[in-house]
C-alpha cells in the first residue's frame, strides 16, 4: 500500500465511520480496514496519517488506535490455527516502522502519543533489545536534545513501558544481559534528567504550569528506577545511592498547596510522586537492606510524618497504602526496634491504623452500589492495596515482634469501640463494624482450611454478645453492613462454632438469603456453603440428616435469591445450591430443583457472561444428577426430558462456552442408564464423531468422556453399526498430538475393555501401526507410559499371546524389540495404584510366554523393572514429565475446558479380583519355576540385590518358593 492522497482520503473516511453510532457503516468500515491491513505497507501509511497535521484530529486519534491494534495482532508471527488467517507484518516493513515510530510518537499530541507509545511497547516486547539495537540510543538522544516536558515525558513514558518487563521476568542469563544493556545505556541520562528537573522544582514554588509536568517527569523517573532496580541492586545505583536517596527525601517532605487537587477523588501529581518514592524505598528495604540501612531512620521518620498528614480522601489512597506498606516492611525486619517504644507503638496504632481501618463513605457506597467489587475486596482478598487491608498488615508486622503489647492495645481499642456502639447503636454502628473487621482481619488463617482462630478477644463471649444478636435479628434488611460483618465473622471462624449452635442459627441464615442487600444474601450463601464443606477428619461435619429439616425453605430462598435485582447470576448463591445438592437427601425436591436449574440454564445460554456462575450451575446439575439418579435410576428419563431441550439449544446455537459441560453431563446421564440405552442416544452418536466438534480443544475431554460412556453402555450397537472405524479414527487423530494423546488412549482403553477380541482383531494391526509410528517419530514420556498401560490392559483382557501375535503381525519379532527397548526401561515410570497393579501383573504374565518362545534372556530385566515398580516409592522412581506441549496446537485464544467435579468419571479397576499384585507376582513366578527350573538362576542374575531380597520376602509372605 502506498501513501497517496486518495489512500489518505479513503482510510480517513473509514476511520470516521468506525466511530459511527450506526452499526452498519461501522461494520463495513471495520471490514474494509481488516482487508486493507493485509496489504504490505499498511502500517507505514497509518503512521503517516497519524502524524499528518492536515488530517482531522479525531481521524488521527482513530488511526492511532488502529495502528496500535495492527501492531498488537500482526507484529509477532501468529502460531496458532486460530490466527493463521492473520497476515504478519513483514520484516522490511517492520524495519521501516522501527525507524520512524519514535519520531512519530514525539511529534503527536498527548492522546495520540499515548497510543503510539503503547504500540512501541508492544513491539519492544518482541524485539527489544536484540532485534532493535537502535531504539535505546534513539530514546537517549531524543531525551538529551528535548527542551519541553511534553517530549521528555513522552520519552520517559515509553522507556517506562519498555523497562517494566524487568519486574516480572524470571532470573536468567538472557535477562541479565538485556538488563545490563539497558543499564549501560540509560542510567546516566536518567539520573541527569532527575537531578536537572529537581532543580527546576526547587526553583519554581509558585508556577503550577511549570511544576506539574516537572513532577510528572520525576514520577516517571521513579518508576523507571523501580524497574531497573527490581532484580538486584545495579552497580551504578549503588555508587549513586546518596544522589537518589537525597532526592527521594526531598520529595517525601515536599508540599505545595497550589498543586493540591480540588476533587477529593483525584490524585495530585505530588501524591503520585510520593507514592512512587514510597515504592522505591520499600523495594530497597526488601531487597537491598544493607545498602539502605544508612537512610532507613530518616525515611521512617519521613513516612511516619507523611501518614500523619494524609487525609482519608480517596485521592490519597495510593499514597497511604504505599507509605503504610513501607512501615510494614520495616516492622518485620531486623530494624523493628525503631518501633519498640510503647509510645511509638501506641501512636502508630491510634494515628495510622485505626483511622485507616474505619469504614468510609466510599466503602459504604461500594457496599450499596457495587456489591461484586465490595465482596472481592472484603471476602476474596483483592483488597491488598486498600487502606483497611494495609493497616491490618502493619498490625501483623508489628505483632511479629511485639505481639503481647499490640494484642493488649487492640483488645482495648475493640472493647472501647463496642462500648461506643452500646451507648448509641444507631449513631455509633461504625465503631462495631471496625471492631468486627479488626477481629476478622487480624485472625491468623489456617492454610489447610482457610478457617481461623483469634487471641484478640474471648471468642465465645464475642460471638455470643456481638455476632449472634445480629444473626438472630428478625429484620434481615436493617443495618445491612453489620449483618454482612456478622455473616463474614461466622464464615471466618466457622470451625470454632459448635455444631448445635450453627444448626440453631440455620433458619436465620436461610432468612438472610432473601435480604435486599446483595452483599448480605451473598454472604449468607457463602456462610452456608462453607459450613457444609467443613470436615472433621474425613467426615463432613454436617450430614444430609442435619439439612433435612431445613430443605424446603433453603431451596425456596436460594432460588429466590437468584430472582433478586442484580443477583440473577450470583455465583455465591449457585455455589451454595451446588453444595446443598451434593450433601442433602433431596428426595421429593429433585424434579423441582432440576426445573429451576434448567430455566436458569436456558436463560444464561442466551448470553454466557459469568464463567464462575455458569460453572457452578453445571456443577449443581451434575450434583443433583449424581445424588438423585444414582439412588433411583428411574429418574434418569425425567432428567433427560428436562435437560435435552437445553442441551440441543447449546449445540445448535454453538454456545462454545457450554458445549464441554454438556458433553460431561450427557456422559453422566448415559453412565447412570441401565442397558439397553434408548434410541435417542444412538441417534445422537453419529453427530459426536463429526470432525468439526473435535477441532475445538476445549471440547475434546468432554467428548472423549461421552464416547467412553457410549462404549461402556452400547459397545455392540456401535460395533454392529459399523461405527467402530470412526471411533478409532478419532483415537488416531488424538493420539497424533502431544497435547491430546492421553485422550486418545482413554478411547482405546475403553474399546478394549468393552469389546471382544473378535470385534477388535481386524483393527489391531492398524492400531499398533499408528502407535509405533508415533513412538518412532514423536515419542514422549507421557505417550510411552500410556502405551505400556494400553498394552497391559489389552493383555490382561485378551491374554499375553494375543499381544505378542498382534504386534508381530506389524513386523516379525517386533514385540521382542518393543519389550526390550521401550517397555522394560519405562515400566518403572508408571504411576497410580490401578495402573501400577495392571502393568506389574501383565509383565509377570509375560514370563511364561517368553520362556516358551526362547526369549528367557529378557525375563531377568523385565522382572527387575516389575520389582522396582512394586517396591520403590513412586516419588523415587517417577521423573517429572518435562515434555513441552506443541505450541502450534495450543497458542492463541481458545475456550477452556473446565472439568465438573460432580460429574467425574469413576475409575475402573480391570483387575478387581487381584487384590495384591505382590502376591500375584510371587505365586505366578513360583508356578513358572515348576516348569522352567532355570527361572531362579535367571532372576538371580537379572535382579538387583535389593529387588531379589524383596522377591524372596514376597515368596515367604505368601508361602511359595521359586523352584
Amino acid at each position: 500500500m502506498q501513501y497517496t492522497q486518495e489512500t489518505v482520503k479513503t482510510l480517513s473516511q473509514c476511520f470516521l465511520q468506525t466511530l459511527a453510532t450506526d452499526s452498519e457503516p461501522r461494520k463495513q468500515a471495520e471490514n474494509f480496514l481488516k482487508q486493507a491491513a493485509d496489504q504490505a505497507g499498511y502500517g507505514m501509511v497509518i503512521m503517516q496519517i497519524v502524524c499528518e497535521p492536515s488530517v482531522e484530529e479525531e481521524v488521527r486519534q482513530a488511526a492511532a488506535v488502529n495502528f496500535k491494534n495492527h501492531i498488537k495482532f500482526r507484529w509477532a508471527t501468529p502460531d496458532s490455527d486460530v490466527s493463521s488467517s492473520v497476515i504478519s507484518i513483514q520484516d522490511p516493513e517492520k524495519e521501516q516502522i522501527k525507524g520512524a515510530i519514535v519520531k512519530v510518537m514525539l511529534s503527536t499530541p498527548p492522546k495520540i502519543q499515548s497510543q503510539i507509545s503503547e504500540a512501541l511497547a508492544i513491539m519492544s516486547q518482541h524485539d527489544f533489545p536484540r532485534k532493535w539495537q537502535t531504539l535505546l540510543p534513539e530514546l537517549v538522544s531524543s531525551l538529551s536534545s528535548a527542551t519541553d516536558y511534553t517530549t521528555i515525558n513522552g520519552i520517559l513514558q515509553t522507556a517506562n513501558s519498555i523497562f517494566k518487563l524487568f519486574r516480572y521476568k524470571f532470573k536468567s542469563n538472557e535477562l541479565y544481559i538485556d538488563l545490563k544493556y539497558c543499564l549501560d545505556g540509560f542510567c546516566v541520562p536518567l539520573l541527569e534528567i532527575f537531578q536537572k528537573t529537581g532543580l527546576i522544582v526547587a526553583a519554581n514554588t509558585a508556577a503550577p504550569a511549570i511544576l506539574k509536568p516537572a513532577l510528572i517527569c520525576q514520577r516517571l523517573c521513579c518508576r523507571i528506577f523501580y524497574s531497573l532496580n527490581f532484580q538486584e541492586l545495579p552497580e551504578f545505583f549503588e555508587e549513586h545511592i546518596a544522589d537518589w536517596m537525597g532526592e527521594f527525601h526531598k520529595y517525601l517532605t515536599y508540599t505545595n498547596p497550589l498543586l493540591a487537587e480540588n476533587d477529593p477523588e483525584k490524585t495530585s501529581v505530588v501524591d503520585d510522586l510520593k507514592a512512587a518514592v514510597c515504592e522505591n524505598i520499600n523495594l530497597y528495604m526488601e531487597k537491598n537492606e544493607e545498602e539502605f540501612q544508612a537512610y532507613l531512620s530518616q525515611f521512617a521518620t519521613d513516612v511516619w510524618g507523611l501518614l500523619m498528614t494524609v487525609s482519608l480522601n480517596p485521592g490519597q489512597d495510593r499514597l497511604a497504602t504505599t507509605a503504610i506498606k513501607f512501615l510494614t516492611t520495616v516492622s518485620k525486619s531486623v530494624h523493628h526496634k525503631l518501633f519498640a517504644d510503647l509510645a511509638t507503638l501506641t501512636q502508630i496504632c491510634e494515628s495510622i491504623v485505626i483511622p485507616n481501618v474505619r469504614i468510609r463513605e466510599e466503602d459504604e457506597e461500594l457496599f450499596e452500589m457495587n456489591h461484586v467489587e465490595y465482596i472481592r475486596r472484603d471476602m476474596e482478598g483483592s483488597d491488598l492495596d486498600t487502606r483497611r487491608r494495609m493497616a491490618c498488615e502493619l498490625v501483623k508486622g508489628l505483632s511479629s515482634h511485639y505481639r503481647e503489647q499490640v494484642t493488649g492495645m487492640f483488645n482495648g481499642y475493640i472493647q472501647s469501640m463496642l462500648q461506643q456502639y452500646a451507648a448509641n447503636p444507631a449513631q455509633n454502628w461504625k465503631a462495631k463494624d471496625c471492631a468486627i473487621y479488626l477481629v476478622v482481619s487480624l485472625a491468623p488463617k489456617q492454610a489447610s482450611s482457610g478457617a481461623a482462630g483469634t487471641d484478640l478477644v474471648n471468642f465465645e463471649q464475642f460471638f455470643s454478645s456481638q455476632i449472634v444478636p445480629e444473626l438472630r435479628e428478625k429484620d434481615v434488611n436493617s443495618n445491612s453492613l453489620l449483618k454482612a460483618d456478622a455473616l463474614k465473622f461466622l464464615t471466618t471462624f466457622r470451625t470454632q462454632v459448635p455444631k448445635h449452635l450453627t444448626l440453631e442459627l440455620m433458619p436465620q441464615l436461610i432468612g438472610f438469603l432473601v435480604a435486599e442487600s446483595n452483599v448480605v444474601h451473598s454472604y449468607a450463601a457463602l456462610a452456608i456453603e462453607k459450613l457444609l464443606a467443613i470436615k472433621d477428619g474425613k467426615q463432613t461435619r454436617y450430614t444430609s440428616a442435619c439439612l433435612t429439616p431445613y430443605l424446603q425453605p433453603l431451596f425456596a430462598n436460594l432460588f429466590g435469591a437468584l430472582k433478586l435485582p442484580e443477583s440473577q447470576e450470583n455465583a455465591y448463591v449457585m455455589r451454595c445450591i451446588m453444595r446443598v445438592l451434593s450433601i442433602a437427601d433431596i428426595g421429593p425436591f429433585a424434579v423441582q430443583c432440576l426445573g429451576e436449574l434448567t430455566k436458569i440454564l436456558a436463560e444464561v445460554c442466551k448470553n454466557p457472561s459469568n464463567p464462575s456462575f455458569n460453572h457452578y450451575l453445571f456443577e449443581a446439575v451434575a450434583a443433583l444428577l449424581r445424588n438423585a439418579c444414582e439412588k433411583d435410576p428411574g429418574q434418569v428419563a425425567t432428567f433427560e426430558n428436562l435437560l435435552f431441550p437445553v442441551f440441543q439449544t447449546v449445540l445448535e446455537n454453538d454456545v462454545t462456552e457450554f458445549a464441554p459441560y454438556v458433553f460431561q453431563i450427557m456422559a453422566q446421564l448415559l453412565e447412570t442408564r441401565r442397558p439397553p440405552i434408548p434410541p435417542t442416544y444412538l441417534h445422537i452418536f453419529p453427530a459426536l464423531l463429526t470432525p468439526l466438534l473435535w477441532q475445538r480443544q476445549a471440547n475434546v475431554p468432554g467428548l472423549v468422556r461421552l464416547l467412553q460412556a457410549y462404549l461402556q453402555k452400547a459397545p455392540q450397537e456401535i460395533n454392529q453399526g459399523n461405527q467402530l472405524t470412526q471411533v478409532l479414527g478419532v483415537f488416531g487423530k488424538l493420539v497424533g498430538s502431544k497435547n491430546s494423546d492421553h485422550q486418545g488412549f482413554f478411547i482405546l482403553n475403553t474399546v478394549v475393555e468393552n469389546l471382544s477380541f473378535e470385534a477388535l482383531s481386524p483393527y489391531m494391526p492398524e492400531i499398533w501401526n499408528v502407535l509405533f509410528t508415533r513412538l518412532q517419530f514423536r515419542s514422549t514420556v507421557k505417550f510411552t507410559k500410556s502405551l505400556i498401560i494400553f498394552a497391559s490392559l489389552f493383555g490382561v483382557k485378551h491374554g499375553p499371546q494375543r499381544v505378542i501375535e498382534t504386534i508381530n503381525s506389524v513386523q516379525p519379532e517386533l514385540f521382542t524389540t518393543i519389550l526390550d527397548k521401550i517397555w522394560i526401561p519405562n515400566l518403572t515410570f508408571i504411576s497410580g495404584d490401578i495402573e501400577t497393579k495392571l502393568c506389574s501383573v501383565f509383565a509377570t504374565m509375560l514370563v511364561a510366554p517368553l520362556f516358551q518362545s526362547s526369549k528367557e534372556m529378557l525375563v531377568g530385566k523385565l522382572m527387575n523393572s516389575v520389582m522396582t515398580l512394586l517396591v520403590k516409592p513412586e516419588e523415587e522412581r517417577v521423573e517429572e514429565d518435562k515434555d513441552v506441549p506443541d505450541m502450534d496446537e495450543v497458542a492463541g485464544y481458545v475456550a477452556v475446558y473446565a472439568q465438573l467435579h460432580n460429574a467425574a468419571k469413576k475409575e475402573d479397576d480391570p483387575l478387581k479380583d487381584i487384590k495384591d499384585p505382590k502376591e500375584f507376582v510371587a505365586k505366578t513366578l513360583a508356578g513358572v519355576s515348576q516348569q522352567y527350573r532355570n527361572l531362579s538362576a535367571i532372576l538371580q542374575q537379572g535382579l538387583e540385590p535389593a529387588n531379589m531380597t524383596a522377591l524372596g520376602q514376597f515368596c515367604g509372605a505368601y508361602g511359595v518358593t521359586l523352584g
Side-chain angles (χ1 to χ4, degrees):
M1 181 180 286
Q2 297 297 317
Y3 182 79
T4 64
Q5 288 302 313
E6 188 62 32
T7 306
V8 172
K9 183 179 176 182
T10 304
L11 290 175
S12 297
Q13 188 61 37
C14 280
F15 288 130
L16 267 179
Q17 286 180 334
T18 61
L19 307 174
T21 52
D22 191 353
S23 63
E24 193 54 41
R26 188 172 68 247
K27 284 182 180 177
Q28 287 180 0
E30 288 169 354
N31 288 333
F32 179 87
L33 290 171
K34 278 181 186 175
Q35 291 174 7
D38 289 339
Q39 297 180 45
Y42 175 81
M44 283 301 297
V45 170
I46 302 304
M47 280 180 71
Q48 288 169 292
I49 292 174
V50 164
C51 59
E52 177 55 63
S54 64
V55 176
E56 295 171 40
E57 186 156 341
E58 63 178 340
V59 171
R60 293 171 67 193
Q61 177 75 34
V65 173
N66 179 273
F67 176 76
K68 179 191 72 179
N69 291 330
H70 182 67
I71 295 298
K72 181 178 179 180
F73 293 109
R74 295 173 184 262
W75 190 264
T77 304
D79 291 323
S80 69
D81 295 337
V82 175
S83 54
S84 59
S85 60
V86 177
I87 297 173
S88 303
I89 301 169
Q90 297 304 301
D91 288 345
E93 187 181 354
K94 283 184 179 181
E95 294 306 316
Q96 287 180 301
I97 292 172
K98 286 178 190 176
I101 193 166
V102 173
K103 288 175 184 173
V104 170
M105 182 195 69
L106 298 177
S107 65
T108 50
K111 284 185 180 179
I112 295 174
Q113 187 181 78
S114 66
Q115 298 292 333
I116 303 301
S117 179
E118 280 188 55
L120 194 155
I122 293 165
M123 292 158 58
S124 69
Q125 287 173 12
H126 298 286
D127 288 12
F128 181 78
R130 296 168 192 235
K131 296 180 184 177
W132 199 354
Q133 295 282 327
T134 58
L135 176 58
L136 193 61
E138 188 174 2
L139 290 174
V140 171
S141 173
S142 302
L143 190 62
S144 63
S145 61
T147 54
D148 66 284
Y149 275 96
T150 301
T151 304
I152 290 169
N153 290 346
I155 297 164
L156 292 175
Q157 181 63 59
T158 302
N160 182 41
S161 298
I162 294 169
F163 297 150
K164 272 182 185 176
L165 65 91
F166 296 122
R167 302 182 199 175
Y168 312 116
K169 284 197 173 181
F170 290 113
K171 296 184 191 308
S172 66
N173 289 335
E174 203 173 72
L175 178 72
Y176 282 121
I177 290 168
D178 292 348
L179 177 57
K180 185 178 185 308
Y181 171 80
C182 295
L183 289 166
D184 291 346
F186 210 77
C187 283
V188 173
L190 179 67
L191 181 56
E192 285 176 357
I193 196 71
F194 193 56
Q195 290 177 320
K196 175 184 167 185
T197 306
L199 296 174
I200 295 171
V201 172
N204 293 273
T205 55
I210 296 173
L211 285 170
K212 275 193 175 183
L215 291 169
I216 289 170
C217 168
Q218 298 303 73
R219 178 189 167 276
L220 288 166
C221 288
C222 284
R223 300 311 292 146
I224 294 169
F225 175 97
Y226 186 86
S227 297
L228 295 179
N229 282 269
F230 189 86
Q231 293 290 337
E232 58 182 37
L233 179 60
E235 187 179 340
F236 176 88
F237 288 100
E238 186 175 0
E239 290 172 358
H240 293 85
I241 191 169
D243 297 327
W244 285 99
M245 296 304 152
E247 291 293 304
F248 290 165
H249 165 63
K250 184 170 79 177
Y251 290 121
L252 279 181
T253 54
Y254 178 82
T255 56
N256 191 332
L258 296 173
L259 296 171
E261 282 286 350
N262 294 325
D263 185 348
E265 300 277 339
K266 289 185 178 178
T267 305
S268 71
V269 289
V270 175
D271 287 348
D272 254 346
L273 174 55
K274 288 182 178 182
V277 169
C278 285
E279 288 201 314
N280 285 344
I281 59 175
N282 187 63
L283 180 72
Y284 266 52
M285 186 64 220
E286 287 179 335
K287 298 197 171 189
N288 310 308
E289 192 175 327
E290 186 180 336
E291 293 82 1
F292 183 66
Q293 187 174 346
Y295 307 94
L296 174 58
S297 180
Q298 177 65 65
F299 278 120
T301 304
D302 291 346
V303 172
W304 193 339
L306 176 65
L307 283 166
M308 296 299 175
T309 64
V310 169
S311 73
L312 293 174
N313 291 336
Q316 289 200 297
D317 282 356
R318 180 163 172 73
L319 175 57
T321 56
T322 52
I324 294 171
K325 186 176 182 181
F326 171 72
L327 291 186
T328 304
T329 305
V330 176
S331 73
K332 294 176 180 177
S333 73
V334 294
H335 305 288
H336 60 83
K337 290 181 182 175
L338 288 169
F339 307 120
D341 183 63
L342 187 60
T344 303
L345 279 173
T346 304
Q347 189 177 6
I348 289 175
C349 293
E350 291 183 358
S351 301
I352 296 174
V353 175
I354 298 297
N356 283 292
V357 168
R358 285 187 179 275
I359 195 166
R360 298 180 296 164
E361 286 183 16
E362 292 76 20
D363 301 313
E364 292 180 68
E365 187 177 320
L366 198 66
F367 181 91
E368 296 291 340
M369 306 301 293
N370 189 348
H371 71 279
V372 174
E373 183 57 31
Y374 182 90
I375 295 170
R376 277 200 195 112
R377 291 185 185 184
D378 187 52
M379 190 65 90
E380 294 184 1
S382 72
D383 62 337
L384 194 59
D385 291 327
T386 63
R387 292 181 186 241
R388 279 189 138 189
R389 174 72 174 271
M390 285 312 305
C392 287
E393 290 301 314
L394 176 56
V395 176
K396 291 176 185 176
L398 294 169
S399 298
S400 60
H401 295 287
Y402 308 103
R403 184 161 195 83
E404 192 175 326
Q405 298 94 311
V406 171
T407 300
M409 274 192 286
F410 274 91
N411 183 277
Y413 298 144
I414 288 166
Q415 297 309 321
S416 173
M417 290 171 189
L418 294 176
Q419 287 166 12
Q420 290 174 39
Y421 172 75
N424 190 338
Q427 188 174 337
N428 296 333
W429 66 269
K430 289 185 179 181
K432 183 173 181 178
D433 168 82
C434 189
I436 296 173
Y437 184 86
L438 283 168
V439 175
V440 171
S441 299
L442 297 177
K445 299 280 191 302
Q446 297 171 6
S448 57
S449 65
T454 180
D455 55 2
L456 270 182
V457 293
N458 179 299
F459 174 79
E460 289 182 11
Q461 184 182 10
F462 189 89
F463 185 70
S464 61
S465 64
Q466 304 301 327
I467 304 303
V468 172
E470 294 293 343
L471 296 176
R472 284 195 165 143
E473 190 175 324
K474 291 184 179 178
D475 185 359
V476 297
N477 295 317
S478 68
N479 227 330
S480 295
L481 240 156
L482 287 183
K483 298 290 188 299
D485 289 340
L487 289 163
K488 180 184 177 185
F489 186 96
L490 173 62
T491 305
T492 304
F493 297 101
R494 58 191 177 275
T495 58
Q496 292 194 44
V497 181
K499 180 177 178 178
H500 71 88
L501 182 52
T502 302
L503 292 174
E504 283 176 27
L505 291 169
M506 189 60 73
Q508 283 76 33
L509 297 180
I510 292 169
F512 282 123
L513 288 169
V514 287
E516 292 172 1
S517 165
N518 293 85
V519 176
V520 170
H521 63 246
S522 297
Y523 278 16
L526 190 59
I528 294 169
E529 191 273 324
K530 291 291 186 187
L531 284 164
L532 296 182
I534 296 174
K535 287 193 174 182
D536 296 323
K538 292 185 177 181
Q539 297 297 317
T540 53
R541 180 177 296 182
Y542 301 93
T543 62
S544 61
C546 299
L547 280 178
T548 299
Y550 310 107
L551 281 183
Q552 188 166 355
L554 182 55
F555 281 131
N557 285 11
L558 280 168
F559 286 111
L562 295 175
K563 296 178 176 71
L564 293 168
E566 297 182 36
S567 259
Q568 290 88 345
E569 295 186 21
N570 189 313
Y572 305 99
V573 175
M574 187 52 72
R575 181 169 175 167
C576 187
I577 291 171
M578 173 206 75
R579 184 72 64 188
V580 174
L581 291 173
S582 300
I583 293 173
D585 185 3
I586 7 176
F589 299 101
V591 176
Q592 175 195 342
C593 289
L594 184 62
E596 293 284 355
L597 291 172
T598 48
K599 281 181 203 168
I600 296 166
L601 186 52
E603 195 58 36
V604 296
C605 274
K606 297 171 186 175
N607 181 25
S609 57
N610 187 334
S612 295
F613 177 83
N614 296 337
H615 183 79
Y616 291 127
L617 171 58
F618 279 100
E619 284 283 13
V621 172
L624 179 57
L625 201 166
R626 189 182 67 184
N627 198 334
C629 296
E630 288 185 8
K631 292 175 184 172
D632 179 11
Q635 292 202 59
V636 177
T638 306
F639 274 65
E640 289 168 347
N641 290 337
L642 283 168
L643 288 170
F644 274 17
V646 187
F647 290 175
Q648 189 173 354
T649 302
V650 169
L651 299 176
E652 285 181 356
N653 295 339
D654 197 22
V655 185
T656 54
E657 299 92 333
F658 288 176
Y661 292 123
V662 166
F663 298 138
Q664 291 176 78
I665 301 288
M666 285 179 68
Q668 194 183 7
L669 282 166
L670 187 52
E671 286 165 354
T672 314
R673 274 254 173 214
R674 289 173 180 160
I677 65 171
T680 313
Y681 282 100
L682 296 174
H683 293 152
I684 296 170
F685 185 72
L688 300 178
L689 301 173
T690 54
L692 184 63
L693 275 181
W694 294 87
Q695 283 173 9
R696 289 192 183 127
Q697 196 64 36
N699 284 349
V700 170
L703 280 169
V704 167
R705 169 77 197 285
L706 182 51
L707 213 54
Q708 286 180 284
Y710 270 99
L711 288 163
Q712 286 173 335
K713 295 293 180 177
Q716 300 311 320
E717 290 89 336
I718 290 171
N719 187 36
Q720 289 162 11
N722 296 320
Q723 290 162 323
L724 190 55
T725 304
Q726 288 173 277
V727 170
L728 292 173
V730 172
F731 143 74
K733 179 169 174 53
L734 294 177
V735 90
S737 160
K738 287 183 182 180
N739 304 317
S740 61
D741 49 16
H742 59 293
Q743 300 286 350
F745 276 109
F746 289 162
I747 294 173
L748 192 56
N749 292 344
T750 312
V751 167
V752 168
E753 285 183 274
N754 293 282
L755 284 168
S756 65
F757 180 73
E758 288 67 33
L760 272 179
S761 59
Y763 302 98
M764 286 313 300
E766 181 57 27
I767 288 172
W768 290 124
N769 200 40
V770 168
L771 293 175
F772 295 149
T773 302
R774 167 68 204 278
L775 183 69
Q776 184 178 358
F777 293 107
R778 298 176 72 201
S779 180
T780 63
V781 174
K782 181 181 70 160
F783 177 83
T784 305
K785 286 161 64 176
S786 298
L787 174 61
I788 293 170
I789 291 166
F790 160 69
S792 299
L793 177 65
F794 183 72
V796 298
K797 179 78 190 295
H798 300 298
Q801 202 58 48
R802 281 177 170 162
V803 175
I804 297 168
E805 288 170 0
T806 53
I807 290 178
N808 285 339
S809 71
V810 177
Q811 182 182 311
E813 296 301 316
L814 181 58
F815 173 77
T816 305
T817 305
I818 294 293
L819 183 66
D820 187 23
K821 304 299 183 187
I822 306 297
W823 203 316
I824 293 172
N826 290 284
L827 185 58
T828 57
F829 298 146
I830 299 297
S831 55
D833 292 342
I834 291 175
E835 291 81 358
T836 298
K837 178 168 76 167
L838 173 68
C839 294
S840 58
V841 164
F842 179 66
T844 309
M845 289 169 68
L846 283 171
V847 172
L850 287 174
F851 271 101
Q852 290 162 12
S853 57
S854 304
K855 301 290 189 305
E856 61 266 27
M857 71 284 191
L858 293 175
V859 168
K861 290 163 65 177
L862 176 62
M863 289 314 301
N864 189 58
S865 290
V866 170
M867 292 305 301
T868 301
L869 185 63
L870 292 175
V871 172
K872 263 197 179 181
E874 193 171 297
E875 58 271 17
E876 289 182 26
R877 57 183 172 73
V878 179
E879 296 178 3
E880 183 185 351
D881 191 350
K882 297 185 174 66
D883 296 331
V884 178
D886 289 343
M887 295 314 294
D888 60 331
E889 294 177 14
V890 298
Y893 171 77
V894 289
V896 177
Y897 173 75
Q899 184 170 338
L900 293 172
H901 170 77
N902 287 305
K905 190 178 188 305
K906 291 178 181 175
E907 200 169 4
D908 294 319
D909 183 354
L911 295 171
K912 294 184 181 69
D913 295 337
I914 298 175
K915 304 301 181 188
D916 184 355
K918 295 175 182 177
E919 180 181 4
F920 180 86
V921 168
K923 290 184 175 179
T924 301
L925 291 180
V928 173
S929 70
Q930 298 299 315
Q931 187 175 359
Y932 300 100
R933 297 292 181 182
N934 58 339
L935 173 63
S936 183
I938 288 172
L939 293 175
Q940 286 281 359
Q941 189 176 352
L943 266 63
E944 295 168 10
N947 284 342
M948 194 64 212
T949 302
L951 180 57
Q953 291 169 348
F954 288 3
C955 292
Y958 301 111
V960 296
T961 57
L962 297 179

